[in-house]
Amino acid sequence: MAVKVAKFGGSSVADVIQLRKIKDIIKSDPERRYIVVSAPGKRFEGDNKITDLLYLVKTTMENMLPFEQLFQVVCDRYTAVHANLGLEVDMQSAYDEIKEKLRDNPSADYIASRGEYLNALLIADFLGFDFVDAEGMVKFDEKGRFLMEDTFEAIREELAKHEYAVIPGFYGSLPNGDIKTFSRGGSDITGALVAGAIGAECYENWTDVSGFLMADPRIVKDPKQIRVVSYKELRELSYMGASVLHEDAIYPARIADVPINIRNTNVPEDPGTMIVSEERAMELKAGDDIITGIAGSKDFTVVALYKNMMSQEKGFVRRILGILDDYDIGFEHLPSGIDTVSVVMSNKQINGRLDEIINEFESRLRPDSIDIIENIAQIATVGHMMSARMGTAAKLFTALAEAGVNIRMIDQGSSELNIIVGVENKDFNKAIQAIYNAFVEK
Ligand code: ASP
């Protein structure tokens, strides 16, 4: 039988109502054999996520304040679900074991991880599946670096023993047995690891939206949903600001060629977004979808360097990169001309050090002139199909010109996966809307 891995995010497992929905979803397809769960999220606006409460337990502990009551609030949420669903699993022993550990001032990672641990115990009982701890399967080295191969192997070995299982997301362990978590939202990664390791037919990621939208709904009203997106396109879109799935969840699925399907627990009939290899994306996409999505972010600075005969000067770009390295700044783009090169950096990374960096450019590069353009937004129009179409760039630039948006920078790699334009921050929303209208609304 084919196997699907289904991961349910915090809002999908927040309370009894949501848990009943996920049970229906899981039981409606016997191929959904491995279930990865987050800790309970918010049940309503203003509610607390269990993970946030657990981090707060740690902070309270560090400030030498009584934390027991706060931890009790966490336990009470699980107990309420336990009682409501008439479950049998012995949660009290699990709480007691954690309380015992809390006396030894354990790490924040350990405390935070208990949110998914307790939830997986509860949900395994509710579904009648085995509980399989992630602790022994998701592996990190002694420096806390994630070990993919070892993890894949351990998952395969363990899951071979279980036909149906619930696995807590978000954490694994160090060689000495200490718990180590991924960054926030990391249950997505655990789901991808389980799916990648066993070569699942599909990795379903159940959340509270029906997948990715072609543009930010705060900017474009009711944007169309993205039905199919390739791993690479998604990487470009997430890098530029679109977020539904943890960035690091793409790789484990991609190397095993497992499609990721983003689904909505509250609207299970919606097919959601499929994230697949480029080849599959080409097959699945409707012929007239030229672009896949538009994403962007504000607050970049462009430093344009001009130097006569720059193109003849060896090592010029290397020296630019050396300076950026010294300041620990990852460059965004380096659009270049014959005697010019522009360095695009995010303001966040510049972190108030622009004057220093410019001084460094002046003394180490000796350019004839330096222009600084601040308050730039970058917008990426992404889509594999663009390369096969003539006139895509013309359409994009016409749309921006007609909307009265001044383009300050253009960057397009020869792969034609995307075209990035730099516009002024103030034109950001207008530019996204104009591009969307030109390609989607038509
Ligand atoms: N519970 C963790 C968090 O809130 C991990 C996750 O839900 O993916 O970040």
Side-chain angles (χ1 to χ4, degrees), residues 387-409:
S387 57
R389 297 292 173 110
M390 260 180 290
T392 310
K395 196 167 177 172
L396 178 69
F397 299 137
T398 307
L400 292 174
E402 281 173 359
V405 174
N406 188 14
I407 303 175
R408 302 298 306 260
M409 191 191 75

Side-chain angles (χ1 to χ4, degrees), residues 7-10 37-40 49-52 55 112 115-116 169-170 183-189 246:
K7 179 256 164 180
F8 291 89
V37 295
S38 280
K49 285 183 173 190
I50 288 290
T51 311
D52 292 335
Y55 280 119
E116 340 310 272
F170 191 38
S183 57
R184 294 298 305 264
S187 298
D188 283 346
I189 309 173
H246 193 297

Side-chain angles (χ1 to χ4, degrees), residues 175-188:
N176 67 2
D178 282 355
I179 295 289
K180 163 97 185 123
T181 63
F182 291 116
S183 57
R184 294 298 305 264
S187 298
D188 283 346

Side-chain angles (χ1 to χ4, degrees), residues 290-304:
I290 303 175
I291 69 161
T292 304
I294 309 157
S297 46
K298 288 189 190 174
D299 299 328
F300 293 89
T301 298
V302 181
V303 177

